[in-house]
Amino acid sequence: MSSNSFGQLFRVTTWGESHGAAIGCVIDGVPPLIPISEPEIQEYLDKRRPGQSRFTTQRREPDAVRIVSGVFEGVTTGTPISLIIDNVDQRSKDYSEIKDKFRPGHADYTYWKKYGIRDYRGGGRSSARETAMRVAAGAVARKVLGDAVSIRGALVQVGDSAVDRSKWDWDEVPRNPFWCPDADTASGWEKLLDKVRKAGSSTGAVIEVTASGVQAGLGAPVYGKLDADIAAAMMSINAVKGIEIGAGFAAAGLSGEDNADEMRIDNSGNVRFLSNAAGGVLGGISTGQDIVIRFAVKPTSSILAPRKTVTTDGRETEISTKGRHDPCVGIRAVPVGEAMLACVLADHLLRHRAQCG
Amino acid sequence: MSSNSFGQLFRVTTWGESHGAAIGCVIDGVPPLIPISEPEIQEYLDKRRPGQSRFTTQRREPDAVRIVSGVFEGVTTGTPISLIIDNVDQRSKDYSEIKDKFRPGHADYTYWKKYGIRDYRGGGRSSARETAMRVAAGAVARKVLGDAVSIRGALVQVGDSAVDRSKWDWDEVPRNPFWCPDADTASGWEKLLDKVRKAGSSTGAVIEVTASGVQAGLGAPVYGKLDADIAAAMMSINAVKGIEIGAGFAAAGLSGEDNADEMRIDNSGNVRFLSNAAGGVLGGISTGQDIVIRFAVKPTSSILAPRKTVTTDGRETEISTKGRHDPCVGIRAVPVGEAMLACVLADHLLRHRAQCG
Amino acid sequence: MSSNSFGQLFRVTTWGESHGAAIGCVIDGVPPLIPISEPEIQEYLDKRRPGQSRFTTQRREPDAVRIVSGVFEGVTTGTPISLIIDNVDQRSKDYSEIKDKFRPGHADYTYWKKYGIRDYRGGGRSSARETAMRVAAGAVARKVLGDAVSIRGALVQVGDSAVDRSKWDWDEVPRNPFWCPDADTASGWEKLLDKVRKAGSSTGAVIEVTASGVQAGLGAPVYGKLDADIAAAMMSINAVKGIEIGAGFAAAGLSGEDNADEMRIDNSGNVRFLSNAAGGVLGGISTGQDIVIRFAVKPTSSILAPRKTVTTDGRETEISTKGRHDPCVGIRAVPVGEAMLACVLADHLLRHRAQCG
Amino acid sequence: MSSNSFGQLFRVTTWGESHGAAIGCVIDGVPPLIPISEPEIQEYLDKRRPGQSRFTTQRREPDAVRIVSGVFEGVTTGTPISLIIDNVDQRSKDYSEIKDKFRPGHADYTYWKKYGIRDYRGGGRSSARETAMRVAAGAVARKVLGDAVSIRGALVQVGDSAVDRSKWDWDEVPRNPFWCPDADTASGWEKLLDKVRKAGSSTGAVIEVTASGVQAGLGAPVYGKLDADIAAAMMSINAVKGIEIGAGFAAAGLSGEDNADEMRIDNSGNVRFLSNAAGGVLGGISTGQDIVIRFAVKPTSSILAPRKTVTTDGRETEISTKGRHDPCVGIRAVPVGEAMLACVLADHLLRHRAQCG
């Protein structure tokens, strides 16, 4: 058991605080002889890297990853892969404002209640900086899954503004700073988030991630359900408050007739589903259809407007967070959500192979 | 690792198929010297038991639980608690209809794809019958948590009909067959579900579960987040398609100002929150406020209307499910959701004690 | 984590006390479609069953095993296999002698110190009765390993009398009541143990277990070493005080030249070792040679001669154990050791398949 | 599950190869607010460091440890502690001799059979270099255990020469290059090992480790036995072939009378044992007496004398290992054994606290 590890057979352990010397992860259980290089991991880290537009935090972290073990002559050896990213933008800063005050809606308070101590510099272990290692691990997970599996994410809602699904275009996703699949909605978000940003405020969002090419049979009864592990994976991402699969919460309003994904045989003799209310998972096991999940991210608690709070020594006060923060943390959550889905699928691929050969 | 186990230190392993001789669970890690008796567990099983109204399946399972180990002279000994329920209503039945056909929206197909075999009698291991053991384990978990923690669930939406939260009355919950906290809505559901039932159809639902009295500090960074484990727990329940905590998916539409639960000091010198958008968890650790979660349940796939499907040998056909089924499986999911929350909290109580004394 | 579970992917959880209604185990992770029946498990239980000669306890436990889940139409389904043995020889007995006194060299004292309670009837959970479920699980493990792997155990030392290895004959093992591979030594043990038995005393023993036909490559670095898991498995058996593999403790006295198992190529082009000081494991991974382990069992603490002890309320006293006990618990440890080795190998077979396909 | 992790609640994950850029470990589950500094860890690493006498390898590794996360303002924060040691003595070397040949008695062959690849530089992951991180983790474990627990190791046998226990003097241990508790025997070992070293040969050894001050009650039934975890811990150390506790293998030759550690009440009203054949553990749970274990280490396979071996492409050849190696790897195994015992005890301390408060 480890609270800082994720997965059973494709097992990722992360470490590091936002303002320590470095952050890192150890990935155990990776099959041998898989080609993997730093640039292949860096590609995904670059998608998550802050400061790429005015809509994400202006911290300058190059997030350059180093493979320190587990890869020899360009391929995995089956031994633990250690990945390390040095923290370079730890600018000297005055933390006196937050050192003794709790930010409402932040983990400040709960860490302090649990441990009696917290690393107040930049959130310490609770910082979203930790998600960089998830993205790095996700890049390795994709290699384990192979080219047949494709995992793509998109931002589908910012504040109250949701994408128009009839205009969904995956090619549009990398063209705008929001990973938005609908160009028109992206324009609207630009205006919306400029307003939020200038006000020193923040807003929530919804992310959708899809995995295509996943074989039927991954996942397991009863507590090892693929969607149970996906739910934990997504809920473990900073700021996530909800997760759904397929029809999700809308399934509550469906009839049994509408929810049943009818089945036919296609020309190749394979099973074909006529719909995907299940989101690719039935009874916790993949159906072979696309796995489609969504998760909701709350607005960051680091805002300019003063909020009522208390101090570590029990006095009432107010707090206002200045500095470099994301008006919508949901944007950078897109590559993180993709990475977590990749990790869960890689884990279940190995688990399935163990039991079912 | 075990796909049929749940929890780390309060660890529950369930076994059994719906039509085998019995189902059971083994609970390991329970602290010693806790008084526990069969009637105390039975009380919760009786809440879940089918056939108590016309709105749940008419199977007649007394679900009488036996404590077979781990309790001596009325108290726990610290050794594994084995609980067994004999299956008594396994009426001889003709399974030829479903033996070779897959029910759309059911785990039939995925079990068969994964294992190359499935126990087609009543769903086998994928049957909701397994949830009886969750409820039994939950009763033990409540004992571990003690009287200070109170866990209560309610049905808050059936089909498109949600409760009126201004009329919420916990006392009303056990008075109607739906665990509905609002008497007026309950009346409406009665009509709605009678219609669904007579049509041989089914409908989805949303369940809300609240835990009060949970101390601040339970849960852990980063992958051991309390809400990550709750999400997995709820998503592992049959038919669940979504899970949210606190503001949940609505958090996407909030501003940072609205989402921040401001803090004050009460007359006793304790921290008091002015709202609970967090649902009692920040950074994966409990705040001391009520933990409030919701999950969505899809309509059962066992419906009368014929649906297009295929056979195990690859032919197209139709299927229509006759027999004793729940028009709204969400009703019986209420005690199951309570039990899972109890199990997660008991587990994290022990985990917290291990690290933080 | 569970203190009553063993193995990672082939995962066995046992439950039950010696004087409860039943004992049982749940085996999770078993691959599907493996034929298994109650008689195939019973065969191994019968080898361990007490009362088969005057050299083991005279309790009469038929130890009839029932498969309660996880097997359908004669084959495994991939879901948890629940095995149960009812306790039938719980004769009404006066426990007042041991209820308040600790048996020196017995777990009585430590259970009481740990939990503040102990089931004093027959040892409760600390009873060797638990090993029946290990044997049952081992029978399933053998099925997972398949016919190519053969696991055989023998008693190689009783008290100070060790077998003559030059006379080793596996066929002799089932012909005497000691699982002794050397008929002459067996005769000597008969006299020795008759003397011990009549004196109400007990003696220790050494068991050797060999697994043939194990493929090279099972086991893993660094903490997942095959021999580390074997060591834990054997040491977890009641009364075991030492475990060694290959040359074992004698390796301390060897030179590097003598210890190195030299390698040649045989006529089929396969690697052939000229010796087996390694006992079939190098660097924690199987070499393909026979895996050869030994473990030492202490004499049972249940003896007639009065020993100085104390009571639960802190008074000095003496204790003498009357009743049905084994003069040499090592005899019945032979099938238990075999079973544990089978379980470890089955687990590592699945683990290897997961990572290395 | 992770093959490179050890412990359940005090959980150590190590990574790194002998000839990569660095080695490291992540320790999760450490309680908060424990003071810990790099010098306190370095102290133990210095005991294991090679090149301190002519009896250990002449590699020059300063083994300077850095604490990279989990410690803030001098105390633990409850988050994962990342420790890193840079590899500095990776002198350019010609590996062509061992690149394609297997060293008899070495993990070369089994890694290659398992993974189809091996990092042949200095043993890669199978190198004893990994044990540096065990020692570092052990230093942290000692901090968790606190000052009341004292863990000390000694070398008790080299080749066929065992210490004279009547001359045992703990103060002598750090005074000779062997951690030998008996000065006379140490003198003899000096001559013996000079001879072994000059011959380019190697010899095995036996190490004894004792933990004093361990409270009664640590450990758990049945598979969570303290001695089962100790056995796995020791057997996971490179080159270990056997492990015993208390009377160990000698218990086989004892009578029940001699093996029973009789109990009395001391002047303070506490239980006092008259002997310690149990080695401090009964039924897998600590008694409060000293925990006393021994393990046997085989001679290293890196020797000068040519041995018959085969190549990766299946040809017969010979191999002779030149260069800097330990004539008796058992010497440096002493601090490693101490560290592993500390880790197991720290883990079980947390596990005990979780269940029994």
Side-chain angles (χ1 to χ4, degrees):
Chain A
M1 198 200 83
S2 165
S3 295
N4 292 278
S5 297
F6 182 76
Q8 299 293 333
L9 298 187
F10 180 89
R11 186 157 178 86
V12 180
T13 301
T14 71
W15 55 266
E17 283 83 40
S18 56
H19 285 59
I23 57 173
C25 73
V26 184
I27 313 173
D28 202 2
V30 179
L33 301 172
I34 296 178
I36 186 94
S37 64
E38 289 171 355
E40 289 172 300
I41 301 173
Q42 195 63 47
E43 173 191 343
Y44 292 98
L45 284 166
D46 288 348
K47 289 179 68 176
R48 179 201 161 277
R49 200 178 56 206
Q52 303 191 92
S53 79
R54 66 182 182 276
F55 303 108
T56 57
T57 175
Q58 295 304 302
R59 274 193 307 271
R60 295 289 168 184
E61 292 279 5
D63 282 356
V65 72
R66 284 180 292 132
I67 301 175
V68 191
S69 73
V71 176
F72 182 58
E73 301 185 335
V75 298
T76 57
T77 61
T79 61
I81 297 174
S82 173
L83 303 177
I84 299 184
I85 294 175
D86 292 321
N87 287 332
V88 297
D89 186 22
Q90 312 162 55
R91 63 175 73 170
S92 168
K93 192 176 162 184
D94 179 7
Y95 288 104
S96 56
E97 175 73 6
I98 61 167
K99 182 179 174 183
D100 300 318
K101 292 179 183 178
F102 301 115
R103 283 167 284 184
H106 193 276
D108 283 347
Y109 176 68
T110 52
Y111 270 60
W112 185 77
K113 288 295 281 185
K114 181 176 192 73
Y115 295 121
I117 182 176
R118 66 188 175 91
D119 180 346
Y120 46 76
R121 303 164 307 164
R125 185 70 183 148
S126 73
S127 166
R129 179 135 191 77
E130 187 272 343
T131 61
M133 297 322 304
R134 302 178 184 232
V135 172
V140 178
R142 286 177 198 258
K143 287 292 218 166
V144 172
L145 291 168
D147 291 340
V149 175
S150 164
I151 298 172
R152 296 181 295 186
L155 201 64
V156 297
Q157 185 181 328
V158 171
D160 288 326
S161 168
V163 297
D164 180 347
R165 285 178 175 270
S166 69
K167 295 182 185 163
W168 191 293
D169 176 6
W170 279 111
D171 292 338
E172 176 59 25
V173 168
R175 287 193 205 121
N176 61 70
F178 311 109
W179 313 112
C180 178
D182 157 14
D184 290 350
T185 301
S187 302
W189 289 352
E190 197 162 336
K191 294 184 194 77
L192 170 63
L193 286 178
D194 268 331
K195 200 171 137 195
V196 168
R197 184 173 58 85
K198 286 171 186 166
S201 182
S202 64
T203 188
V206 177
I207 292 93
E208 180 165 318
V209 186
T210 297
S212 304
V214 178
Q215 68 188 85
L218 300 197
V222 169
Y223 303 104
K225 286 192 166 91
L226 185 60
D227 40 354
D229 282 349
I230 292 171
M234 300 304 156
M235 200 64 109
S236 79
I237 300 171
N238 307 47
V240 172
K241 300 305 285 184
I243 155 80
E244 60 182 10
I245 184 163
F249 274 87
L254 295 179
S255 68
E257 290 77 7
D258 290 336
N259 186 66
D261 300 317
E262 294 183 299
M263 302 162 84
R264 297 282 83 182
I265 302 292
D266 70 15
N267 293 337
S268 316
N270 296 320
V271 166
R272 179 173 59 95
F273 291 89
L274 304 186
S275 55
N276 190 11
V281 178
L282 284 173
I285 300 171
S286 61
T287 62
Q289 290 208 87
D290 279 3
I291 293 173
V292 184
I293 64 103
R294 277 173 301 281
F295 59 93
V297 172
K298 70 179 182 184
T300 179
S301 57
S302 297
I303 52 174
L304 197 60
R307 310 309 295 164
K308 292 175 188 154
T309 190
V310 300
T311 62
T312 52
D313 56 354
R315 288 176 300 104
E316 297 191 338
T317 184
E318 289 199 334
I319 192 166
S320 162
T321 313
K322 298 166 193 76
R324 305 165 298 171
H325 288 288
D326 294 65
C328 178
V329 289
I331 299 170
R332 292 172 59 209
V334 174
V336 179
E338 290 178 6
M340 292 310 288
L341 187 53
C343 288
V344 174
L345 290 171
D347 188 36
H348 274 281
L349 179 67
L350 302 186
R351 290 166 70 169
H352 179 66
R353 198 157 72 182
Q355 189 180 21
C356 300
Chain B
M1 199 200 86
S2 164
S3 294
N4 292 278
S5 297
F6 182 76
Q8 299 292 332
L9 297 186
F10 180 88
R11 186 156 179 89
V12 181
T13 300
T14 71
W15 55 266
E17 284 82 42
S18 55
H19 285 61
I23 57 174
C25 72
V26 184
I27 312 174
D28 200 2
V30 179
L33 300 172
I34 298 178
I36 186 92
S37 65
E38 289 171 355
E40 288 172 300
I41 301 172
Q42 194 64 47
E43 172 191 342
Y44 292 98
L45 284 166
D46 288 349
K47 289 180 67 176
R48 179 201 160 278
R49 201 178 55 206
Q52 302 191 91
S53 81
R54 67 182 182 276
F55 304 109
T56 57
T57 174
Q58 295 304 300
R59 273 193 307 272
R60 294 289 167 187
E61 292 279 4
D63 279 355
V65 70
R66 285 180 292 131
I67 301 175
V68 191
S69 73
V71 175
F72 181 59
E73 299 184 338
V75 298
T76 57
T77 60
T79 61
I81 298 175
S82 173
L83 303 177
I84 299 182
I85 295 175
D86 292 321
N87 287 331
V88 298
D89 186 22
Q90 312 161 54
R91 63 174 73 172
S92 170
K93 193 177 158 183
D94 180 6
Y95 288 104
S96 56
E97 174 73 5
I98 62 167
K99 183 180 175 184
D100 301 317
K101 290 180 185 178
F102 301 116
R103 283 167 286 184
H106 193 276
D108 283 348
Y109 176 69
T110 52
Y111 272 61
W112 184 79
K113 287 294 283 186
K114 182 176 190 71
Y115 295 121
I117 182 176
R118 66 189 176 91
D119 181 347
Y120 46 76
R121 303 164 306 164
R125 185 70 181 147
S126 73
S127 166
R129 179 135 190 75
E130 187 272 343
T131 62
M133 297 323 303
R134 300 177 183 234
V135 171
V140 178
R142 287 176 196 260
K143 288 292 217 166
V144 172
L145 290 168
D147 290 340
V149 175
S150 164
I151 297 171
R152 297 181 294 187
L155 201 63
V156 297
Q157 184 181 330
V158 171
D160 288 326
S161 168
V163 296
D164 180 347
R165 284 179 176 268
S166 68
K167 296 183 184 161
W168 191 294
D169 177 7
W170 279 112
D171 291 339
E172 176 59 26
V173 168
R175 287 194 205 120
N176 61 69
F178 311 109
W179 313 111
C180 178
D182 158 14
D184 290 348
T185 301
S187 302
W189 289 352
E190 196 161 337
K191 293 184 195 75
L192 171 63
L193 286 178
D194 268 331
K195 201 172 134 195
V196 167
R197 184 173 56 83
K198 286 171 185 165
S201 183
S202 63
T203 187
V206 177
I207 291 93
E208 180 165 318
V209 186
T210 296
S212 305
V214 177
Q215 68 187 84
L218 300 196
V222 167
Y223 302 105
K225 286 193 166 89
L226 184 60
D227 40 355
D229 283 349
I230 292 171
M234 300 305 157
M235 199 65 106
S236 79
I237 300 171
N238 307 45
V240 172
K241 301 303 284 184
I243 156 80
E244 60 182 10
I245 182 161
F249 274 88
L254 295 179
S255 68
E257 290 78 8
D258 291 337
N259 185 68
D261 299 318
E262 294 184 300
M263 303 163 83
R264 298 283 82 183
I265 303 293
D266 70 14
N267 293 336
S268 316
N270 296 320
V271 167
R272 177 173 61 94
F273 291 89
L274 304 186
S275 55
N276 192 11
V281 178
L282 284 172
I285 301 172
S286 62
T287 63
Q289 289 207 89
D290 279 4
I291 293 172
V292 184
I293 64 104
R294 279 172 300 282
F295 58 94
V297 172
K298 69 179 183 183
T300 180
S301 56
S302 297
I303 51 175
L304 198 59
R307 311 309 294 162
K308 291 174 188 153
T309 191
V310 299
T311 61
T312 52
D313 55 355
R315 288 176 297 102
E316 297 190 339
T317 183
E318 290 199 335
I319 191 166
S320 163
T321 314
K322 297 167 194 74
R324 307 163 299 170
H325 288 287
D326 294 66
C328 178
V329 288
I331 300 170
R332 292 171 59 209
V334 173
V336 179
E338 289 178 8
M340 291 310 287
L341 186 54
C343 288
V344 173
L345 290 171
D347 188 37
H348 274 281
L349 180 67
L350 302 186
R351 290 166 69 169
H352 180 68
R353 198 157 71 180
Q355 190 181 20
C356 299
Chain C
M1 201 201 82
S2 165
S3 295
N4 293 278
S5 297
F6 183 76
Q8 300 293 333
L9 297 186
F10 180 89
R11 187 159 177 85
V12 180
T13 301
T14 70
W15 55 265
E17 282 83 39
S18 56
H19 285 60
I23 58 172
C25 73
V26 184
I27 312 173
D28 202 2
V30 179
L33 301 172
I34 296 178
I36 187 94
S37 65
E38 288 171 354
E40 288 172 300
I41 302 173
Q42 195 64 48
E43 172 192 342
Y44 292 98
L45 285 165
D46 288 349
K47 289 180 66 178
R48 179 201 160 278
R49 200 177 57 205
Q52 304 192 89
S53 79
R54 66 184 182 275
F55 304 107
T56 58
T57 175
Q58 296 304 304
R59 275 193 306 272
R60 295 290 168 187
E61 291 280 5
D63 281 355
V65 70
R66 285 180 291 129
I67 301 175
V68 191
S69 73
V71 176
F72 182 57
E73 299 183 338
V75 296
T76 57
T77 61
T79 61
I81 297 174
S82 173
L83 303 178
I84 298 182
I85 295 174
D86 291 321
N87 287 331
V88 298
D89 185 21
Q90 313 161 54
R91 62 176 73 170
S92 170
K93 190 177 162 184
D94 180 7
Y95 288 104
S96 56
E97 174 73 4
I98 61 166
K99 183 178 176 184
D100 301 318
K101 289 180 186 178
F102 301 116
R103 283 167 284 183
H106 192 277
D108 282 349
Y109 176 69
T110 52
Y111 271 62
W112 184 77
K113 287 295 282 185
K114 182 176 190 72
Y115 295 122
I117 182 175
R118 64 186 177 95
D119 181 346
Y120 47 76
R121 303 164 307 165
R125 184 67 182 152
S126 73
S127 166
R129 179 136 190 75
E130 189 271 344
T131 60
M133 298 322 303
R134 300 178 184 231
V135 171
V140 178
R142 286 177 197 259
K143 286 292 215 167
V144 172
L145 291 169
D147 291 340
V149 176
S150 165
I151 297 171
R152 296 182 294 186
L155 201 63
V156 296
Q157 185 181 329
V158 170
D160 288 324
S161 167
V163 298
D164 179 346
R165 285 180 175 267
S166 68
K167 296 185 185 162
W168 190 293
D169 176 7
W170 280 111
D171 291 339
E172 175 61 26
V173 168
R175 287 194 204 122
N176 61 70
F178 311 109
W179 313 110
C180 178
D182 158 16
D184 290 349
T185 301
S187 301
W189 290 352
E190 197 161 335
K191 294 183 195 76
L192 170 63
L193 287 177
D194 268 331
K195 199 173 137 196
V196 168
R197 184 173 58 84
K198 285 171 186 165
S201 183
S202 62
T203 187
V206 177
I207 291 93
E208 179 165 317
V209 186
T210 297
S212 306
V214 177
Q215 68 187 85
L218 299 197
V222 167
Y223 304 104
K225 287 192 168 89
L226 185 60
D227 40 355
D229 283 350
I230 292 171
M234 299 306 156
M235 200 65 108
S236 80
I237 299 171
N238 307 47
V240 173
K241 300 304 284 184
I243 155 80
E244 60 182 10
I245 182 161
F249 274 88
L254 294 180
S255 68
E257 289 76 10
D258 290 337
N259 186 66
D261 299 317
E262 294 184 297
M263 303 163 82
R264 299 281 82 182
I265 303 293
D266 70 14
N267 294 336
S268 316
N270 296 320
V271 167
R272 178 172 61 95
F273 291 89
L274 304 187
S275 55
N276 192 11
V281 178
L282 284 173
I285 300 173
S286 62
T287 62
Q289 288 207 91
D290 279 5
I291 294 172
V292 183
I293 64 104
R294 278 171 301 281
F295 58 95
V297 172
K298 69 178 182 185
T300 179
S301 56
S302 297
I303 51 174
L304 197 60
R307 309 308 295 162
K308 292 175 188 153
T309 190
V310 300
T311 62
T312 52
D313 56 356
R315 288 177 297 103
E316 296 190 339
T317 183
E318 290 199 334
I319 191 166
S320 162
T321 313
K322 298 167 191 74
R324 307 166 295 171
H325 288 289
D326 294 67
C328 177
V329 289
I331 300 170
R332 291 171 60 209
V334 175
V336 179
E338 289 178 5
M340 292 310 288
L341 186 55
C343 287
V344 173
L345 290 172
D347 189 34
H348 274 281
L349 179 68
L350 302 186
R351 289 166 72 170
H352 180 68
R353 196 156 73 181
Q355 190 181 19
C356 300
Chain D
M1 198 201 84
S2 165
S3 295
N4 293 276
S5 298
F6 182 76
Q8 300 293 333
L9 298 186
F10 180 88
R11 186 158 179 86
V12 180
T13 300
T14 70
W15 55 266
E17 282 83 39
S18 55
H19 284 60
I23 58 173
C25 73
V26 185
I27 313 173
D28 202 2
V30 179
L33 300 172
I34 297 179
I36 187 94
S37 64
E38 288 170 356
E40 289 172 300
I41 301 172
Q42 194 65 47
E43 173 191 344
Y44 293 98
L45 284 166
D46 289 348
K47 290 180 66 177
R48 178 202 162 277
R49 200 178 54 206
Q52 304 191 88
S53 79
R54 67 181 182 275
F55 304 107
T56 58
T57 174
Q58 295 305 303
R59 273 193 306 272
R60 294 290 168 185
E61 292 278 5
D63 282 356
V65 70
R66 286 179 292 132
I67 301 176
V68 191
S69 73
V71 175
F72 182 57
E73 299 183 338
V75 298
T76 58
T77 60
T79 60
I81 297 175
S82 173
L83 304 178
I84 298 183
I85 295 175
D86 292 320
N87 287 333
V88 297
D89 185 21
Q90 311 161 53
R91 64 178 70 173
S92 169
K93 192 177 162 183
D94 180 7
Y95 288 104
S96 55
E97 174 73 5
I98 61 167
K99 184 178 175 185
D100 301 317
K101 291 181 185 177
F102 301 116
R103 283 168 285 183
H106 192 277
D108 283 347
Y109 176 67
T110 52
Y111 271 61
W112 184 77
K113 288 295 282 185
K114 182 176 189 74
Y115 294 122
I117 182 175
R118 64 187 177 95
D119 181 346
Y120 46 77
R121 304 164 306 164
R125 184 70 182 150
S126 73
S127 166
R129 181 137 189 74
E130 188 271 344
T131 60
M133 299 320 305
R134 300 177 185 233
V135 171
V140 178
R142 286 175 198 258
K143 286 292 215 167
V144 172
L145 291 168
D147 291 338
V149 174
S150 166
I151 298 172
R152 296 182 295 188
L155 202 63
V156 296
Q157 184 181 330
V158 171
D160 287 326
S161 168
V163 297
D164 179 347
R165 286 179 174 268
S166 68
K167 297 183 184 163
W168 191 292
D169 177 7
W170 278 112
D171 292 337
E172 175 61 26
V173 168
R175 288 194 205 122
N176 61 69
F178 311 110
W179 314 110
C180 177
D182 159 13
D184 291 346
T185 301
S187 301
W189 289 353
E190 198 161 333
K191 294 183 195 76
L192 170 63
L193 286 178
D194 267 330
K195 200 172 134 196
V196 167
R197 185 174 55 83
K198 286 171 187 166
S201 183
S202 63
T203 187
V206 176
I207 291 94
E208 179 165 318
V209 186
T210 297
S212 305
V214 177
Q215 68 187 84
L218 301 197
V222 168
Y223 303 104
K225 287 193 167 90
L226 185 59
D227 40 356
D229 283 349
I230 291 171
M234 299 306 156
M235 199 63 108
S236 79
I237 299 172
N238 307 47
V240 173
K241 300 305 285 184
I243 156 82
E244 59 181 11
I245 184 163
F249 273 88
L254 294 179
S255 69
E257 289 76 8
D258 290 336
N259 185 67
D261 299 318
E262 293 183 301
M263 304 162 82
R264 297 283 82 181
I265 303 292
D266 70 14
N267 293 335
S268 314
N270 296 320
V271 166
R272 178 173 60 94
F273 291 89
L274 304 186
S275 55
N276 191 12
V281 177
L282 285 173
I285 300 172
S286 61
T287 61
Q289 288 208 91
D290 279 4
I291 293 172
V292 183
I293 65 103
R294 277 171 303 281
F295 59 94
V297 172
K298 69 178 183 185
T300 179
S301 56
S302 298
I303 50 174
L304 196 61
R307 308 310 293 162
K308 291 176 190 154
T309 189
V310 300
T311 62
T312 52
D313 55 356
R315 287 177 298 103
E316 297 190 339
T317 183
E318 291 199 333
I319 192 166
S320 162
T321 313
K322 299 167 192 74
R324 306 165 298 171
H325 288 288
D326 294 66
C328 177
V329 290
I331 300 170
R332 293 170 59 208
V334 174
V336 179
E338 288 179 8
M340 292 310 289
L341 186 55
C343 288
V344 173
L345 290 172
D347 188 37
H348 274 282
L349 179 68
L350 303 186
R351 290 166 70 170
H352 180 66
R353 195 157 76 183
Q355 190 181 20
C356 299

